[in-house]
Amino acid sequence: MKNGLAKPDVVVDIGHIESMRGIEKNGDATSIGALTTYAEIDDDEELWADATVLAEAASEIGDTQVRNRGTIGGNLAHSDPASDLPGAAIASDLTLVVEGPDGERRIDADEFFVAMYMTDLAEDELLTRIEVPRGDGATSGAYVKKPSPSSGYALVGVAAQLQVDDGTVTAARIGANGVMDHAVRLEPVEDAIEGERLSDDAISAAAERAADDLEEAMMMDDLQASAEFRSHLLETYTKRALERAAERADATVTA
């Protein structure tokens, strides 16, 4: 509304719906209410352990005031291509739970982000909570970004979640934001790193494939960064995300 992109006749305040707040651990998943703030996610030590990618992305958003007021549901439903959480949502394999007149519907993060400011949410649906698979001792993750000097939003942000067994990657999920008009999954990187030991060579080779499935002609191209530069940043920050995740995996094994 501030930017003039929407001019609704009615605005409904959902900020006082207590059932849409809070973080609950339920067996093999963690449920996060859509009205839970970034600060609450950042402050949750168990989330940092079980869903490192999501917690780290939340900690990178805006400043203290923004993190105290902004919510995970508002962020994801807005689908800003330069926001930090969508890529982390994909890497974390989140399930977004929405409700409408026909009841509850569950949407995988891979399918939720459609285009710039567009999601799979119907006009009469509301995002109510997010479900995060709980990791185990073999799960390691990281989120890194190149922030815009003017806004702090991500020129490029990359989230990496790895399952590691004795130094070898058994499964990987890599998400990115800031590159295309919506968050995307980098499956060529996943294919390249899975089955490999977390060596410098393996990480570099996987990162080189970051843009393999992305058309440069469709990449974000604006006054802040050209499509060509974003493609370069994507490879660089994919490598950094994998390196940080590898360091954390090694620290877990050592501990």
Side-chain angles (χ1 to χ4, degrees):
M1 288 186 289
K2 179 180 178 182
N3 294 328
L5 298 176
K7 297 179 180 180
D9 294 326
V10 177
V11 177
V12 179
D13 182 6
I14 62 171
H16 299 289
I17 303 177
E18 291 302 318
S19 62
M20 289 174 58
R21 292 185 179 279
I23 301 170
E24 296 183 5
K25 281 76 177 179
N26 303 309
D28 59 357
T30 296
S31 177
I32 304 175
L35 296 180
T36 304
T37 66
Y38 310 134
E40 290 170 318
I41 293 170
D42 184 20
D43 289 342
D44 193 294
E45 293 183 3
E46 287 189 54
L47 268 184
W48 271 96
D50 294 333
T52 306
V53 175
L54 187 67
E56 188 159 39
S59 75
E60 291 285 334
I61 296 173
D63 53 25
T64 301
Q65 290 90 337
V66 169
R67 289 192 291 274
N68 283 334
R69 294 288 293 172
T71 64
I72 183 173
N75 185 300
L76 296 174
H78 189 48
S79 189
D80 188 321
S83 187
D84 298 296
L85 287 187
I90 290 172
S92 301
D93 195 19
L94 301 189
T95 299
L96 296 98
V97 183
V98 305
E99 290 190 38
D102 297 326
E104 189 174 276
R105 187 164 67 97
R106 302 167 66 84
I107 310 170
D108 292 339
D110 285 12
E111 307 297 327
F112 187 74
F113 307 102
V114 176
M116 185 180 294
Y117 308 127
M118 292 181 62
T119 70
D120 192 46
L121 270 172
E123 289 186 358
D124 57 358
E125 288 182 321
L126 180 68
L127 175 59
T128 58
R129 69 180 187 277
I130 296 91
E131 294 183 354
V132 192
R134 300 188 71 179
D136 54 36
T139 302
S140 176
Y143 174 75
V144 298
K145 73 172 180 178
K146 170 63 175 175
S148 163
S150 61
S151 68
Y153 278 85
L155 287 179
V156 167
V158 179
Q161 181 161 284
L162 308 176
Q163 290 279 337
V164 183
D165 184 9
D166 193 26
T168 298
V169 179
T170 57
R173 289 184 66 93
I174 317 294
N177 35 260
V179 185
M180 309 299 284
D181 67 351
H182 64 289
V184 293
R185 187 172 175 184
L186 305 182
E187 295 187 74
V189 178
E190 298 172 0
D191 294 340
I193 200 67
E194 287 178 357
E196 299 290 336
R197 295 192 64 80
L198 283 171
S199 65
D200 291 342
D201 288 345
I203 288 172
S204 295
E208 288 175 0
R209 299 192 58 192
D212 278 9
D213 276 357
L214 308 178
E215 294 184 39
E216 188 170 302
M218 299 299 292
M219 288 185 181
M220 301 280 285
D221 191 330
D222 53 34
L223 293 175
Q224 298 189 87
S226 66
E228 181 181 8
F229 184 49
R230 277 189 164 88
S231 181
H232 169 72
L233 287 175
L234 180 63
E235 180 179 329
T236 299
Y237 280 80
T238 298
K239 182 179 179 182
R240 292 182 184 182
L242 290 173
E243 288 173 340
R244 184 177 295 181
E247 290 171 2
R248 288 172 173 166
D250 184 62
T252 301
V253 171
T254 302

